[in-house]
Amino acid sequence: MAVYPGSFDPLTYGHIDIVERALEIFDKVILAIAHETSDASKRSLFTVEERIEMAKEVFEHLPNVIVDSFKGLLVNYVGETNARVILRGLRATSDFEYEFHMASMNRSLNIHLDTMFMMTSKDYFFVSSRSIKEVAALGGAVEGLVPNLIARRLKEKFKLPLTKEKQIGWEY
Ligand code: PNS
C-alpha cells in the first residue's frame, strides 16, 4: 500500500497516470488530498470536498484506489495507515529540489516512512494543476489533459460558456 499525497487542485491525467502505474506495484493506493499545503501562498481553487468528489468519480472504476483527505502533517496521516511508502511524481529536474526537501523533512519526522518517486510519462511532463487552472481561466482547452468531468467543473468555476454537449444535456 502506498499513500499518494497532493493538492490535486485539480486532478490531471499526469496524476492519474502515476496512480495507474503505482497499482502495478502496490496492492492499494490511497490518494490523500491535502486540506492545506506546505506552500501558504497556494490557495486552492476547488474546496477539499469538491476535490474528493471529483477524484472519487475519476477512480470509481478502480476499487484499489482509496480517495481520502488529510489535515496537518502528512507523516501523521501516513502513520495512521498501513502504508510505509509516500508516492510522488517527478516531472522534471525543477521538481527535484522541492521534492527532495519534502522527502527529507518527512523522513526526519518519521524514519519508518520512505518516499518513492515515479517519473511522469512523456505525454504529461508539461502538465501541472497550476498551468491547467491558468489555461482554463483564460478560456483555453484543457480536454485531453484532465478528465472531461474536471474540464467541465473548471469551466463552471471560471463561469465560461458551457460546451454544446452540456447545453443539450450530455453526461460525460
Ligand atoms: O500537490 P502538492 O501541492 O505539491 O502537494 C504538497 C503536499 C500536500 C504533499 C505537501 O504540502 C504536504 O505534505 N502538506 C502537509 C503538511 C506537511 O506534512 N508538511 C511537512 C512536509 S515539508
Side-chain angles (χ1 to χ4, degrees), residues 15 21 37 44 81 93 104 109 112 117 120 140 154 166:
H15 299 129
R21 284 161 54 207
T37 71
S44 61
T81 69
T93 45
S104 307
L109 291 168
H112 303 294
F117 295 99
T120 297
L154 282 161
K166 173 68 184 176

Side-chain angles (χ1 to χ4, degrees), residues 6-7 34 36-38 42 70 72-74 88 98 102 105-106:
S7 308
E36 66 272 321
T37 71
S38 316
K42 240 172 153 182
F70 72 100
L73 282 179
L74 174 64
R88 292 284 288 174
Y98 168 64
M102 205 156 64
M105 178 58 86
N106 286 335

Side-chain angles (χ1 to χ4, degrees), residues 10 45-46 128-143 145-146 150-161:
L45 173 68
F46 292 99
S128 68
S129 298
R130 194 168 63 94
S131 59
I132 290 290
K133 281 181 280 197
E134 186 172 325
V135 170
L138 298 171
V142 292
E143 284 81 1
L145 305 177
V146 297
I150 291 178
R152 188 181 62 200
R153 296 289 288 264
L154 282 161
K155 282 187 184 144
E156 286 167 3
K157 264 287 176 211
F158 293 119
K159 305 219 177 345
L160 291 167

